[in-house]
Amino acid sequence: MAVDANPNPAASVTALRGFFDGDVWHSFRSSPVAIAAAVIALIFFVCALFADVIAPHNPFDLATLELMDSLKPPAWIDGGEPKYLLGTDGQGRDILSALMYGARISLLVGVASVLLSIVIGVGLGLLAGFVGGRTDAFIMRLCDVMLSFPSILVALMISGVGRSLFPNAPDALAFVVLVLAIALTGWVQYARTVRGSTLVERNKEYVQAARVIGVGPLRIMWRHVLPNVMGPVLVLATIQIASAIITEATLSFLGVGVPVTSPSLGTLIRNGNDTLFSGEWWITAWPSLTLVLITLSVNLLGDWLRDALNPRLR
Amino acid sequence: MLVFILRRLVQAVVVMLSVAFIAFMLFQYVGDPVNNLLGQDATEAQRIALRKDLGLDQPFPVQFARFAANAVQGEFGISLRQGRKVSALIVERFPATLELALVAGLIALLLGIPLGVYAALRRGKASAQLLMAGTLFGVSLPNFVIGIVLIWMFAVELKWLPSFGRGDVVSFGAWTSGLLTRDGLLHLVLPAITLSAFQLTLIMRLVRAEMLEVLRTDYIRFARARGLTDRSVYFGHALKNTLVPVITITGLQLGSLIAFAIITEQVFQWPGMGLLFIQAVQFADIPVMAAYLCLISLIFVVINLGVDLLYFAVDPRLRVEGKAH
Amino acid sequence: MSEPLLEVSHLRVEFPTRHGTLLALDDISFAIAPGEILGVVGESGAGKSLTGAAIIGLLDPPGRIAAGEIKLAGRRIDNLPYEQMRRVRGREIGAVFQDPLTSLNPLYTVGQQLVETIMTHLDLTAAQARARAIELLASTGIPAPEARVDQYPHQFSGGMRQRVVIALALAASPKLIVADEPTTALDVSIQAQIIALLKMVCREQGAAVMLVTHDMGVIAETCDRVAVMYAGRIAEIGPVADVIHRPAHPYTVGLMGSIPAMDGDRERLLQIDGAMPRLNAIPPGCAFNPRCPRVVDRCRAERPELASVGATSAACWRPVEVVR
């Protein structure tokens, strides 16, 4: 008998395949809301990913900007031009292109912080569940304390501290701090879920057998516990991406998020806010709409996913 | 029960100490503590004197103790950005935030609970489904987007309501209130609605979910089997059981309202603590940040404690008097 | 029997689902005389609890009564509008459910729940209702009722709580009590007490009882008549002694044979092969035919009606004609 034989031989593969065959996929196909949400999310994702190629203009290339074209309304309104489909801002940047690049930044930061959240949360959860004792108690305490503080506050504090520590930080560092700030607001849910599953799995016989044989705890956690928690983690992740995007947008709107040179949707909204009163509504409206559509579609997907993966409702 | 209260008090003290510790670290090591206390316009002589006074060569615990003692008295030095005492700034700004948060919380409760109950009782009907779809929308809308949309609609286009500041306020000693003037109230409308939106959707979803759970219980079934009227069943029994967990959770939300006010205050330029904090973060104004952190933590800890006590008052199962016999 | 208190005729209960309509109760007919205790026994899923739910009008949707009649004291109650049926519940029919732990609202005192029920149905002042509540607690054997009436459910032990539940069921002096597994969730030592209590108070108040359970021992102790249910149908019904000692339906025979006896020969317990069919897989003809040792071709083709066999009625083409 191989020492590290996984009792579920193709557990990871099966888990993934099980996702696409059978109930979940069928449930997806029969839910028009989920399909619509997925399509919308996909469109944004593709636009964001391929912004370089798809965007009609490059809003960051100062050479291509013409001040004469600033503050043009969307193409279907008097004064607009088809060249700038959604209008331009105060410096002649095409809004549509800025949207695509902005969406890319927003999605990048959102996804990155969720991934980091997962790593931190799942790691701590596994640790707490497996080691138990005081480590467990401490980590759970930490979770409680962190949960009692609203995410925006945590993110702001970390952002603020980062700024104070590195006042003239290069952009890359600013991004790192931002991602870290958002990640630290969301890891608790993963930690709790994974800890719960770990506690359950830890007592199962095959885990105990593996320990007796001498399989290291890391391997056990990786091979046995992890596949079993991926379902809830996936649902959490989808919902958290939406809230991470909102948190980043909020921070950027407040001026303490992404650096000014890489504007995200939040930054764009902030910029447009100044001209709202003079009637140039499109500079704020389009980024706001994009932001809402992205988070709405991701939330809908997350909702649907949670129902689809819920064994009780099947 | 006394044991429970004591334990929670100890926990509260521990949390406050940890927060004070973090604030202390900020104060000492991020930026210059002398600057933090004296402001940037102090003379060299003042600085040297303060250095000695502060005992910056003293061992760490002593410095921390000093900081903590100061913090308890509300002494956090001088704002780097404004050059005024932090405590004065906070006292000045606190009423604005508190009023905003309380009104927003009230709106969220007074609308959220009935709507949630409605959505639960009329489950499956189109109106209830529409409501729930609306909540999904509400959860996806960031606070500031709601604010901007409201401003655009009511202040820019319709010109019905003002869009920034607090309007006329009335002072009672240290407290300023915008609730007593028409102008103040008008200014409060849009920000309060914006702030309440997220909480409103949360409460609605929570109340609905709880109520549906409660309606499936045996004791509700038994109540119906005893022939009690629908009104008794829904509002006498189900609602009471639903509200117990809801009230405690919404109590906790009050704290997060004060935190989310940061965003709303920025959108509406509402002169509260949140705006102060944001400006402090942008400026790296450490004393204000530290003070805000401590104050917010205190508020949270007090609210948490209050909510735990509330649980006791409301749920008889927790008042373990006699043993079951 | 003279004018029956409860008369169920050809009751059909259906559950429309995505996969088709499931027939949960198929042509059930029985009657309960005033003051009589009828036991309804059968395996899980046989339809016992559903019958009780249908009678009190609390079928969980999408379940519904598809056909048949339920008459209480000669008056039809299965087709009453909700508000009228609500008044029947509690006042004319009382219910006792299985789990005393979850049957009582934890946030109200026992007294509050009693008074509320009393005042909903009877025209009494609050003080009178409270006095009656204390009386009820006393009659169900709860010591120091004046003190305990203001206590919360969690301050009562399991057995005591079930006594409170019984008191609640009897609060408005109904003529019929539907008791759905009233002792299943209790300790064995308490079960006997509660069953004896139920029997006693019902006799005192002249209330009839429909006692749903899967415990034959309880049936033997308590009931006047018993109905054996199988797959949504009644297999056999008759006086308790006759059904137990002289069963006619092969299923009942199997049931009785599978009960261990402390006295007599310690033979192997009789075991009925197979399992009760699921609602969507009931065989044509007699539902028991795949498992029946006495099966003939007719059993697979035609469904038997209840017919007299000695002292009981059995739905069988080849009932056991026994004279033991």
Side-chain angles (χ1 to χ4, degrees):
Chain A
M1 183 171 68
V3 164
D4 54 6
N6 187 333
N8 309 322
S12 341
V13 178
T14 319
L16 209 58
R17 191 169 288 152
F19 179 80
F20 280 114
D21 297 339
D23 288 336
V24 173
W25 192 240
H26 176 83
S27 159
F28 178 75
R29 281 205 311 246
S30 52
S31 166
V33 170
I35 296 184
V39 165
I40 293 181
L42 202 62
I43 293 180
F44 283 119
F45 187 65
V46 163
C47 280
L49 202 60
F50 298 111
D52 295 321
V53 180
I54 303 181
H57 305 260
N58 184 345
F60 303 117
D61 190 349
L62 296 171
T64 59
L65 294 182
E66 290 170 52
L67 224 54
M68 291 289 295
D69 286 337
S70 63
L71 294 179
K72 284 207 176 299
W76 57 86
I77 297 183
D78 274 340
E81 288 178 25
K83 190 162 86 157
Y84 304 112
L85 192 60
L86 297 177
T88 60
D89 71 358
Q91 297 184 294
R93 285 187 283 247
D94 174 38
I95 301 282
L96 181 60
S97 315
L99 269 188
M100 292 190 184
Y101 281 95
R104 162 195 278 189
I105 307 266
S106 294
L107 281 169
L108 255 171
V109 173
V111 171
S113 40
V114 168
L115 284 176
L116 187 56
S117 260
I118 292 182
V119 167
I120 299 178
V122 170
L124 282 178
L126 280 175
L127 195 64
F130 217 74
V131 173
R134 299 181 77 169
T135 321
D136 183 17
F138 174 72
I139 294 183
M140 282 299 106
R141 260 296 82 118
L142 197 61
C143 285
D144 285 340
V145 170
M146 290 235 47
L147 270 188
S148 55
F149 286 102
S151 50
I152 193 71
L153 204 60
V154 174
L156 274 171
M157 284 302 305
I158 298 181
S159 236
V161 169
R163 269 157 193 275
S164 320
L165 284 176
F166 314 110
N168 300 310
D171 283 354
L173 189 58
F175 268 106
V176 168
V177 170
L178 182 63
V179 169
L180 186 65
I182 302 178
L184 284 175
T185 66
W187 62 268
V188 175
Q189 308 265 45
Y190 303 108
R192 281 207 166 153
T193 317
V194 170
R195 171 186 177 265
S197 297
T198 311
L199 284 177
V200 167
E201 293 295 315
R202 177 172 85 164
N203 293 325
K204 290 205 176 150
E205 283 160 347
Y206 68 85
V207 170
Q208 291 179 342
R211 282 174 108 163
V212 164
I213 297 176
V215 179
L218 271 173
R219 208 187 200 110
I220 298 181
M221 290 195 267
W222 179 257
R223 276 209 152 177
H224 302 307
V225 179
L226 228 39
N228 287 316
V229 298
M230 281 340 261
V233 166
L234 197 64
V235 174
L236 269 176
T238 325
I239 297 180
Q240 292 248 1
I241 289 188
S243 83
I245 293 179
I246 292 186
T247 308
E248 178 276 315
T250 307
L251 287 175
S252 301
F253 175 79
L254 292 172
V256 292
V258 292
V260 186
T261 48
S262 320
S264 72
L265 292 173
T267 323
L268 293 175
I269 299 177
R270 175 193 177 85
N271 293 342
N273 209 13
D274 302 326
T275 54
L276 193 64
F277 281 94
S278 36
E280 280 100 21
W281 53 270
W282 55 90
I283 310 181
T284 312
W286 298 125
S288 304
L289 191 62
T290 313
L291 186 63
V292 170
L293 279 176
I294 292 182
T295 48
L296 193 59
S297 51
V298 172
N299 266 333
L300 279 171
L301 269 177
D303 246 16
W304 162 82
L305 196 64
R306 184 186 51 218
D307 287 344
L309 287 180
N310 186 345
R312 274 195 287 174
L313 294 180
R314 266 191 259 176
Chain B
M1 177 167 144
L2 211 58
V3 172
F4 178 79
I5 296 186
L6 239 79
R7 229 182 2 178
R8 295 290 280 111
L9 271 176
V10 166
Q11 268 181 15
V13 169
V14 167
V15 169
M16 285 310 298
L17 274 178
S18 332
V19 167
F21 184 71
I22 298 178
F24 173 66
M25 297 296 277
L26 280 179
F27 218 80
Q28 292 283 86
Y29 298 111
V30 181
D32 186 358
V34 172
N35 249 356
N36 292 343
L37 283 173
L38 284 181
Q40 289 172 322
D41 304 323
T43 67
E44 190 55 36
Q46 283 176 315
R47 284 173 198 271
I48 297 180
L50 187 59
R51 276 226 141 71
K52 218 171 109 203
D53 238 1
L54 283 182
L56 283 174
D57 50 344
Q58 298 263 355
F60 188 85
V62 175
Q63 295 197 42
F64 179 49
R66 196 189 208 121
F67 176 82
N70 278 339
V72 167
Q73 296 168 39
E75 174 57 60
F76 282 95
I78 302 206
S79 159
L80 293 177
R81 193 175 68 98
Q82 301 203 23
R84 294 170 54 197
K85 275 178 77 77
V86 172
S87 42
L89 280 172
I90 297 232
V91 164
E92 195 179 82
R93 307 280 212 145
F94 186 70
T97 302
L98 193 64
E99 274 187 6
L100 181 61
L102 279 178
V103 172
L106 225 72
I107 295 178
L109 270 179
L110 291 178
L111 276 184
I113 294 182
L115 284 178
V117 169
Y118 180 83
L121 292 182
R122 293 268 174 273
R123 182 190 192 189
K125 302 267 172 56
S127 49
Q129 287 185 324
L130 205 66
L131 268 177
M132 292 318 290
T135 63
L136 197 60
F137 204 63
V139 167
S140 313
L141 277 178
N143 191 313
F144 62 93
V145 169
I146 298 178
I148 293 177
V149 168
L150 284 178
I151 289 181
W152 182 73
M153 228 188 332
F154 291 101
V156 177
E157 291 290 304
L158 294 172
K159 299 205 193 339
W160 284 353
L161 290 165
S163 67
F164 68 87
R166 224 177 146 199
D168 295 332
V169 291
V170 176
S171 314
F172 311 95
W175 192 273
T176 53
S177 171
L179 295 175
L180 299 174
T181 62
R182 184 168 179 276
D183 191 41
L185 282 173
L186 281 179
H187 275 88
L188 192 51
V189 172
L190 288 182
I193 294 181
T194 307
L195 187 56
S196 71
F198 191 71
Q199 302 303 319
L200 180 63
T201 43
L202 265 169
I203 292 179
M204 235 171 81
R205 292 180 82 122
L206 186 64
V207 167
R208 175 185 179 269
E210 273 301 316
M211 188 116 189
L212 285 178
E213 272 293 315
V214 165
L215 286 175
R216 287 194 326 201
T217 56
D218 276 348
Y219 57 82
I220 292 293
R221 190 152 188 268
F222 190 40
R224 274 202 239 262
R226 301 204 298 275
L228 297 181
T229 59
D230 267 2
R231 211 170 122 225
S232 265
V233 170
Y234 290 143
F235 298 107
H237 286 263
L239 189 60
K240 186 165 181 188
N241 289 74
T242 303
L243 286 183
V244 168
V246 166
I247 285 207
T248 49
I249 293 187
T250 52
L252 296 172
Q253 293 297 322
L254 181 62
S256 82
L257 272 177
I258 294 185
F260 275 97
I262 296 176
I263 309 169
T264 314
E265 289 181 16
Q266 169 78 345
V267 173
F268 290 92
Q269 292 295 298
W270 186 265
M273 283 194 314
L275 193 57
L276 183 68
F277 181 65
I278 270 296
Q279 290 162 343
V281 169
Q282 285 167 342
F283 196 82
D285 189 348
I286 294 294
V288 173
M289 281 171 63
Y292 185 82
L293 183 64
C294 289
L295 183 60
I296 281 276
S297 310
L298 182 65
I299 293 179
F300 268 79
V301 161
V302 166
I303 289 181
N304 275 336
L305 204 60
V307 162
D308 279 338
L309 288 177
L310 199 63
Y311 245 132
F312 263 111
V314 167
D315 191 340
R317 284 172 289 188
L318 293 177
R319 305 175 225 148
V320 181
E321 272 132 29
K323 217 171 98 68
H325 57 283
Chain C
M1 73 183 66
S2 55
E3 185 69 37
L5 175 65
L6 178 75
E7 209 177 333
V8 176
S9 321
H10 305 291
L11 184 67
R12 274 171 76 104
V13 168
E14 285 178 347
F15 279 84
T17 67
R18 279 184 312 158
H19 307 292
T21 301
L22 298 176
L23 195 53
L25 290 181
D26 193 353
D27 203 28
I28 304 277
S29 301
F30 64 91
I32 305 183
E36 174 182 45
I37 303 184
L38 173 76
V40 178
V41 75
E43 301 171 44
S44 300
K48 328 185 284 296
S49 299
L50 268 180
T51 311
I55 291 175
I56 56 178
L58 285 183
L59 276 177
D60 286 325
R64 58 196 194 94
I65 298 181
E69 287 185 357
I70 304 178
K71 286 201 202 150
L72 186 67
R75 164 181 160 230
R76 260 190 91 168
I77 59 172
D78 58 289
N79 59 357
L80 284 182
Y82 183 82
E83 178 59 21
Q84 290 190 31
M85 190 61 203
R86 177 191 74 75
R87 278 189 237 132
V88 169
R89 280 195 286 269
R91 183 75 183 88
E92 297 177 52
I93 308 181
V96 174
F97 293 146
Q98 175 172 335
D99 193 350
L101 189 64
T102 55
S103 287
L104 298 172
N105 191 331
L107 298 182
Y108 287 103
T109 65
V110 154
Q112 283 167 325
Q113 299 188 54
L114 273 166
V115 166
E116 180 186 29
T117 311
I118 293 170
M119 290 183 72
T120 304
H121 294 289
L122 303 175
D123 198 9
L124 299 175
T125 66
Q128 292 171 323
R130 186 182 161 86
R132 181 175 168 80
I134 297 179
E135 240 176 69
L136 279 164
L137 287 180
S139 70
T140 50
I142 293 180
E146 310 83 13
R148 305 217 72 178
V149 74
D150 291 320
Q151 287 186 335
Y152 288 92
H154 68 274
Q155 293 170 286
F156 289 73
S157 67
M160 285 290 152
R161 248 176 283 188
Q162 196 66 317
R163 292 173 192 262
V164 171
V165 167
I166 293 176
L168 274 164
L170 291 167
S173 305
K175 285 284 160 253
L176 171 67
I177 300 274
V178 173
D180 191 349
E181 310 259 13
T183 54
T184 308
L186 300 172
D187 283 343
V188 174
S189 50
I190 310 279
Q191 281 183 10
Q193 287 178 25
I194 298 297
I195 279 297
L197 171 71
L198 192 61
K199 187 167 181 176
M200 182 190 78
V201 291
C202 290
R203 289 270 190 253
E204 268 175 21
Q205 299 228 9
V209 181
M210 180 177 137
L211 179 59
V212 172
T213 177
H214 61 268
D215 186 343
M216 282 308 299
V218 164
I219 298 277
E221 280 285 319
T222 333
C223 303
D224 302 318
R225 289 164 63 233
V226 62
V228 178
M229 285 191 71
Y230 185 79
R233 307 159 183 194
I234 297 187
E236 184 164 2
I237 180 169
V240 131
D242 294 302
V243 171
I244 291 184
H245 297 297
R246 288 170 284 279
H249 195 288
Y251 175 61
T252 323
V253 172
L255 264 188
M256 300 306 144
S258 62
I259 298 173
M262 288 309 292
D263 57 320
D265 301 326
R266 307 283 175 92
E267 300 164 355
R268 274 186 92 172
L269 292 178
L270 213 69
Q271 194 186 356
I272 316 177
D273 285 332
M276 196 174 69
R278 303 179 65 143
L279 286 184
N280 52 5
I282 297 185
C286 171
F288 190 58
N289 75 59
R291 309 165 71 189
C292 186
R294 294 169 60 81
V295 65
V296 292
D297 284 335
R298 194 179 184 196
C299 305
R300 299 198 189 94
E302 282 178 63
R303 182 186 155 177
E305 299 276 327
L306 279 172
S308 266
V309 183
T312 68
S313 301
C316 183
W317 296 125
R318 275 190 74 205
V320 176
E321 311 259 4
V322 204
V323 180
R324 288 217 186 116

